[in-house]
Amino acid sequence: MSEDLHGNVPDSFPVTLLIIDMINDLEFPEGEAFLEPATRAAEKIAALKQKARNLNIPVIYANDNFGRWRSDFTEVVEHCLNDGVRGQPLAELLRPDSDDYFVLKPKHSAFYATTLETLLEYLKAKRLIITGLSADVCVLFSASDAYMREFELYIPSDCVASGSAEHTQETLEYVERVLSADTTPSDQLDLGELCRSRE
C-alpha cells in the first residue's frame, strides 16, 4: 500500500476519535427525547475532542446526509447551525475544525458504503474511540463493524446517548460483553496511554 493517499499524507496515529451523527438536526419524531441526553454527551465529547487535538489524535466525523444526496458535510453543518433546528446546540458544541476528517454514511454503520475503512488504514489506526448517537443503533452497528475489523474499542459511557437511558445502558453492557469494548467515562480515559503504540 502506498504511504500517501493520492499525494496527501494523513496523520498516521495509533488511535482515532470517531464522532457519529452528532451534527444532527434532531428533526425526527423521537428527536425531543434525544435532545437532553445528546446535549450532555456533546459537552463530554467536546471536552474529549479538545484533549485529543492537544495530543494530535485524528478526529473523524461520520454523519448521516440529511435530505437528498446533493449536499456535502459543510451543508449539513450549516443546516444544523443556522436553520433553527432542534439539534443546533449539538452543532454549536461540536462544530468541526478545518483539519478534522469526515465521511457521510448512507446507513447505520459508519463503515457501510463509506471511505472510513480506507481512511483508517492510511491513518494506521489500531484503536477507535467511538462516540455519538444513537448508542443502540449507529454507535452499536459501527462498533460491531470495527470489532470485526479487529480494532481495539473504547466507547466512553458519557459520550454516547440514545432516546432512553435504559437503551444506552443496555448497549454499553452489550458492547462490553460481546465486543470487548472499554466503556470508561471520558474524564477517566488516559488518552496518553492509548497513544503509545502497543504490539
Side-chain angles (χ1 to χ4, degrees), residues 43 114 179:
E43 291 168 350
T114 76
L179 307 183

Side-chain angles (χ1 to χ4, degrees), residues 25 42 45 93 174-175:
D25 63 13
I45 296 169
L93 284 163
Y174 178 86
V175 298

Side-chain angles (χ1 to χ4, degrees), residues 2 9 17 23-24 29 32 38 41 49 59 83 100 111 137 139 161-162 169 179 181 190 198:
S2 171
V9 180
L17 174 60
I23 307 302
N24 195 316
E32 185 63 38
K49 180 185 174 185
V59 177
D83 290 347
D100 291 334
F111 287 89
V137 184
V139 170
S162 62
Q169 185 58 38
L179 307 183
D190 188 343
R198 297 195 295 267

Side-chain angles (χ1 to χ4, degrees), residues 83-97:
D83 290 347
V85 296
R86 185 184 285 132
Q88 182 174 337
L90 309 184
E92 290 173 345
L93 284 163
L94 290 169
R95 185 192 306 253
D97 293 289

Side-chain angles (χ1 to χ4, degrees), residues 32-91:
E32 185 63 38
F34 276 79
L35 181 57
E36 184 178 343
T39 302
R40 288 198 305 268
E43 291 168 350
K44 295 292 187 176
I45 296 169
L48 181 63
K49 180 185 174 185
Q50 186 56 56
K51 292 177 184 176
R53 289 181 61 82
N54 291 343
L55 292 169
N56 297 315
I57 293 173
V59 177
I60 304 173
Y61 286 78
N63 224 87
D64 286 336
N65 188 9
F66 301 109
R68 298 177 178 174
W69 279 88
R70 295 179 184 150
S71 60
D72 58 28
F73 188 52
T74 302
E75 289 183 33
V76 173
V77 174
E78 291 302 312
H79 163 64
C80 291
L81 284 172
N82 300 315
D83 290 347
V85 296
R86 185 184 285 132
Q88 182 174 337
L90 309 184

Side-chain angles (χ1 to χ4, degrees), residues 6 8 14 28 40 49 53 65 75 78 83 89 91 120-121 137 141-142 145 148 159 163 167 180-181 183 195:
H6 299 293
N8 298 305
F28 49 85
R40 288 198 305 268
K49 180 185 174 185
R53 289 181 61 82
N65 188 9
E75 289 183 33
E78 291 302 312
D83 290 347
L120 291 171
E121 286 178 4
V137 184
F141 284 36
S142 300
D145 278 354
M148 288 191 291
C159 290
H167 291 164
S180 301
T183 62
C195 291

